[in-house]
Amino acid sequence: MTGVGPGRIMQIAVTVSDLDRSVAFYRDLLGMAFLFNAGTMAFLQCGEVRLLLGTPEPGRPISNGGTILYLKSVDLDGDYVRLADAGVPSVQAPQMIAKMPDHDLWLAIVSDPDDNPVGLMQEIARSN
């Protein structure tokens, strides 16, 4: 197969107003590995996906466009409390959003420094 196919996502870009503040949020509070800074852009690693944080071109506003990053959590309640204690704004407290055949899907949503929503998801296995 040639061209773009249904492979893995390589990189996601998020527009931010303050690069250093956003790097600190994604690196220090969400635990992503910092890769490098390229002036108006910084790159972090999140599993197999790179996160590009970039400032808008001069004269252009930040446009979040409704994109939400959803990150896997193994301790949703603990992560939510830790982020709240660090002053991260909450959009939605942890709640179960779906009962799947073998697990319950839980979700919390917080905001990054530019009010971009960040979803924290946990799949909790159910015993039959």
Side-chain angles (χ1 to χ4, degrees), residues 34-79:
F34 177 77
L35 298 175
F36 62 96
N37 184 312
T40 61
M41 297 178 289
F43 296 82
L44 297 101
Q45 195 70 38
C46 182
E48 295 182 13
V49 178
R50 275 189 314 263
L51 177 64
L52 181 163
L53 301 175
T55 56
E57 295 177 23
R60 300 212 49 189
I62 293 176
S63 174
N64 297 336
T67 301
I68 302 175
L69 294 178
Y70 289 92
L71 305 174
K72 182 177 183 178
S73 172
V74 295
D75 178 12
L76 183 60
D77 290 331
D79 287 336

Side-chain angles (χ1 to χ4, degrees), residues 11 20 22 30 42 48 51-52 56 68 79 81 83 94 99 107 112-114 120 123 126:
Q11 182 168 285
D20 292 334
S22 294
L30 297 182
E48 295 182 13
L51 177 64
L52 181 163
I68 302 175
D79 287 336
V81 167
L83 292 170
K99 282 190 174 287
L107 172 69
D112 80 358
D114 286 295
L120 308 173
E123 296 176 344
R126 264 190 276 122

Side-chain angles (χ1 to χ4, degrees), residues 82-124:
R82 179 179 58 80
L83 292 170
D85 288 348
V88 174
S90 171
V91 175
Q92 174 185 305
Q95 64 184 32
M96 186 182 51
I97 59 168
K99 282 190 174 287
M100 307 304 280
D102 61 342
H103 68 276
D104 294 333
L105 182 60
W106 285 74
L107 172 69
I109 301 176
V110 298
S111 290
D112 80 358
D114 286 295
D115 293 328
N116 293 304
V118 178
L120 308 173
M121 300 179 78
Q122 183 176 10
E123 296 176 344
I124 300 176

